[in-house]
């Protein structure tokens, strides 16, 4: 090979490499056949010396034996990720899960822009992850990382990239202030007595407090789901309040259940329905603008109510924990509580409320000793 000419080439069976001086810098050009037999070209310039261009061209061929992958590495991360979720996730995961993947795509673009796959180093990836972590909880950052990493591992498998930039990434996030998991019996009772159940948000809070239902289950209720004759709520679906896709299946098959309610709750529901005049097939907590409150809105409403009543703050989901805890403390069996909550099995209930069950077991031991003492006297 001539070392001094401006144009030089090396030809193989399927690959031809040429070098050219453009101004003050050198460029290499690799012509190759793709898997369809069509000739493609891969160029890169900016080398001060021809020897540097030769070395870079050789390195490219070593790292990307089929060379198509080298061309693919020019694709932006965001573009590859969108194609990946469309091919591997769209018709496999649920609509809600796919929406989560799409949300990740939006965040990828906001953080990495049009950064090419080959330009995504470990340092740049970690910087992007750290930037995302400034405004998101650690759990959210972890989910974000897992979805991107799955995509990058696919690119690694295809030899589009030669290293995994997401390997050993450090996951951080915003520390959320600690919130009580449940209310005491007195505060629970105080909250229930001071709710205006003619208002949509406060009626939702009331139903959560007296049934332990999940938020999606509550906002998925229609008037037909209320059995006034037999005093129960029929939980057979949920409402997608986050992505607004309408009615959905319950979390699990065991979530389909009938929840017994008291006469006061039935009366409040009857008065609520009279006041709001809601069509049979429409969620009873949808307002006149066809809007169902999202979790952030109901949590804000609950926080404001608790502040007004001088009650320690809990999340909306904390009402479910409160309901279950109070039932257990009042002597309702773990099995009954499990069925009322719609848990898939009693083990879930036991593990969730282990601290309460242990406390109750301790009290039971005292009862057992007391019974035996009375018998053996």
């Amino acid at each position: 090979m001539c070392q001094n000419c401006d144009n030089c080439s090396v030809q193989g069976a399927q690959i031809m490499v040429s070098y050219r001086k453009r101004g003050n810098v050198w460029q290499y050009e690799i012509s190759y056949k793709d898997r369809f037999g069509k000739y493609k070209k891969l160029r890169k310039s900016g080398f001060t010396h021809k020897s540097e261009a030769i070395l870079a061209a050789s390195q490219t061929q070593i790292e990307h034996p089929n060379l198509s992958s080298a061309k693919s590495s020019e694709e932006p991360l965001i573009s590859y990720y969108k194609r990946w979720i469309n091919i591997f996730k769209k018709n496999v995961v649920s609509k809600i899960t796919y929406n989560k993947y799409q949300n990740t795509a939006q965040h990828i673009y906001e953080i990495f822009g049009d950064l090419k796959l080959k330009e995504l180093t470990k340092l740049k990836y970690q910087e992007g992850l750290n930037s995302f972590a400034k405004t998101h909880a650690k759990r959210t950052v972890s989910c974000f990382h897992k979805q991107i990493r799955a995509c990058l591992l696919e690119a690694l498998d295809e030899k589009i990239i030669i290293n995994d930039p997401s390997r050993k990434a450090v996951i951080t996030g915003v520390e959320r202030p600690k919130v009580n998991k449940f209310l005491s019996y007195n505060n629970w009772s105080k909250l229930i007595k001071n709710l205006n159940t003619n208002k949509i948000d406060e009626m939702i809070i009331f139903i959560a407090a007296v049934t332990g239902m999940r938020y999606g289950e509550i906002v998925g209720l229609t008037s037909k789901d209320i059995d006034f004759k037999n005093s129960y709520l029929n939980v057979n679906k949920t409402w997608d309040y986050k992505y607004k896709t309408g009615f959905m299946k319950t979390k699990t098959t065991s979530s389909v259940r009938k929840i017994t309610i008291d006469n006061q709750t039935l009366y409040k529901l009857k008065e609520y329905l009279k006041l709001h005049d809601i069509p049979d097939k429409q969620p009873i907590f949808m307002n006149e603008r066809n809007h169902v409150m999202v979790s952030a809105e109901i949590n804000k409403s609950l926080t404001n109510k608790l502040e007004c009543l001088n009650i320690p703050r809990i999340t909306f989901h904390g009402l479910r924990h409160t309901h279950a805890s109070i039932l257990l403390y009042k002597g309702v069996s773990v099995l009954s509580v499990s069925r009322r909550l719609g848990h898939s099995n009693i083990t879930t209930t036991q593990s969730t409320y282990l601290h309460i069950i242990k406390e109750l077991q301790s009290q039971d031991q005292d009862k057992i000793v007391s019974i035996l003492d009375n018998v053996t006297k």
Side-chain angles (χ1 to χ4, degrees):
M1 185 185 298
C2 176
Q3 297 297 317
N4 300 313
C5 63
D6 287 352
N7 295 282
C8 190
S9 66
V10 177
Q11 189 167 356
Q14 297 288 332
I15 300 170
M16 186 173 75
V17 186
S18 62
Y19 306 92
R20 176 177 300 175
K21 195 170 186 180
R22 302 177 67 88
N24 295 321
V25 297
W26 282 86
Q27 169 189 286
Y28 73 71
E29 179 180 284
I30 306 175
S31 296
Y32 65 95
K33 281 186 179 181
D34 65 14
R35 60 195 180 105
F36 301 108
K38 294 183 179 180
Y39 269 106
K40 297 287 179 70
K41 291 184 178 181
L42 184 65
R43 300 187 185 93
K44 189 171 183 180
S45 62
F47 303 100
T48 305
H49 303 289
K50 184 178 180 181
S51 59
E52 294 175 357
I54 294 171
L55 183 62
S58 298
Q59 189 66 30
T60 297
Q61 291 177 77
I62 292 169
E63 293 175 354
H64 302 277
N66 65 3
L67 289 169
S68 293
S69 61
K71 192 73 175 176
S72 298
S73 68
E74 297 281 338
E75 184 177 9
L77 168 64
I78 181 60
S79 173
Y80 183 81
Y81 177 84
K82 284 183 175 179
R83 287 199 301 112
W84 177 74
I85 63 171
N86 187 57
I87 293 169
F88 290 99
K89 301 298 176 183
K90 190 172 186 179
N91 298 315
V92 178
V93 299
S94 68
K95 191 169 183 178
I96 288 180
T97 302
Y98 185 68
N99 282 333
K100 290 179 181 178
Y101 278 101
Q102 289 182 309
N103 284 344
T104 294
Q106 180 61 36
H107 291 309
I108 288 173
Y109 183 71
E110 290 169 358
I111 295 169
F112 297 105
D114 291 319
L115 186 73
K116 296 175 181 177
L117 282 166
K118 68 176 186 178
E119 296 170 341
L120 184 60
T121 62
K122 288 193 70 160
L123 182 63
K124 287 182 179 178
Y125 181 80
Q126 187 65 58
E127 286 176 343
L129 213 57
N130 291 348
S131 174
F132 186 71
K134 289 178 182 178
T135 54
H136 294 84
K138 189 173 182 178
R139 183 178 176 182
T140 306
V141 177
S142 178
C143 182
F144 178 66
H145 162 67
K146 285 178 182 177
Q147 290 185 347
I148 300 177
R149 184 152 199 251
C151 167
L152 290 172
L153 289 176
E154 196 70 44
L156 185 66
D157 204 37
E158 289 189 88
K159 296 183 171 57
I160 294 172
I161 55 176
I162 59 172
N163 294 304
D164 174 17
S166 64
R167 182 173 175 267
K168 292 186 177 180
V170 179
I171 308 300
T172 58
V174 177
E175 287 292 333
R176 304 295 185 192
K178 288 187 177 180
V179 179
N180 294 318
K181 288 189 175 180
F182 54 87
L183 300 175
S184 67
Y185 178 83
N186 288 337
N187 283 331
W188 173 72
S189 179
K190 183 179 179 181
L191 173 64
I192 290 173
K193 290 174 182 177
N194 285 279
L195 288 168
N196 179 357
T197 52
N198 287 330
K199 295 173 65 177
I200 290 178
D201 57 342
E202 297 198 22
M203 186 57 168
I204 291 174
I205 294 169
F206 178 85
I207 293 298
V210 298
T211 66
M213 290 169 64
R214 301 177 180 94
Y215 186 62
E217 294 171 346
I218 295 173
V219 293
L221 288 171
T222 64
S223 57
K224 287 187 175 181
D225 297 322
I226 307 169
D227 190 325
F228 289 100
K229 183 179 179 180
N230 297 301
S231 304
Y232 67 76
L233 295 178
N234 191 14
V235 181
N236 51 37
K237 59 190 173 306
T238 65
W239 180 264
D240 178 16
Y241 57 88
K242 189 171 183 180
Y243 299 108
K244 302 177 176 61
T245 59
F247 289 112
M248 303 187 307
K249 292 181 179 179
T250 54
K251 186 176 181 180
T252 62
T253 53
S254 56
S255 296
V256 176
R257 61 201 189 278
K258 293 177 180 179
I259 299 178
T260 304
I261 52 178
D262 60 285
N263 291 332
Q264 188 64 23
T265 299
L266 284 169
Y267 172 76
K268 288 179 181 293
L269 281 167
K270 192 174 291 184
E271 292 301 305
Y272 174 87
L273 293 176
K274 283 180 184 178
L275 182 66
H276 290 275
D277 189 27
I278 300 159
D280 288 344
K281 294 182 180 180
Q282 180 179 304
I284 63 173
F285 297 117
M286 179 179 282
N287 66 18
E288 63 277 1
R289 298 188 302 278
N290 295 325
H291 173 68
V292 173
M293 296 177 76
V294 297
S295 57
E297 291 174 309
I298 194 65
N299 269 300
K300 184 177 180 181
S301 181
L302 174 61
T303 297
N304 291 338
K305 192 69 181 180
L306 293 172
E307 284 180 356
C308 289
L309 297 172
N310 198 28
I311 296 175
R313 179 176 172 261
I314 61 166
T315 63
F316 185 85
H317 194 70
L319 294 173
R320 178 171 165 86
H321 289 314
T322 299
H323 184 77
S325 300
I326 288 170
L327 293 183
L328 289 169
Y329 272 125
K330 291 294 183 180
V332 178
S333 71
V334 177
L335 179 60
S336 295
V337 172
S338 181
R339 288 176 175 171
R340 188 170 178 85
L341 295 180
H343 283 165
S344 54
N345 54 64
I346 195 170
T347 305
T348 303
T349 315
Q350 289 172 327
S351 60
T352 305
Y353 301 100
L354 182 62
H355 61 294
I356 296 171
I357 293 169
K358 283 183 176 180
E359 190 175 331
L360 292 172
Q361 284 177 339
S362 178
Q363 293 175 13
D364 286 344
Q365 295 303 317
D366 293 337
K367 289 179 183 178
I368 291 170
V369 171
S370 177
I371 291 169
L372 292 175
D373 278 343
N374 289 329
V375 171
T376 56
K377 278 182 181 178

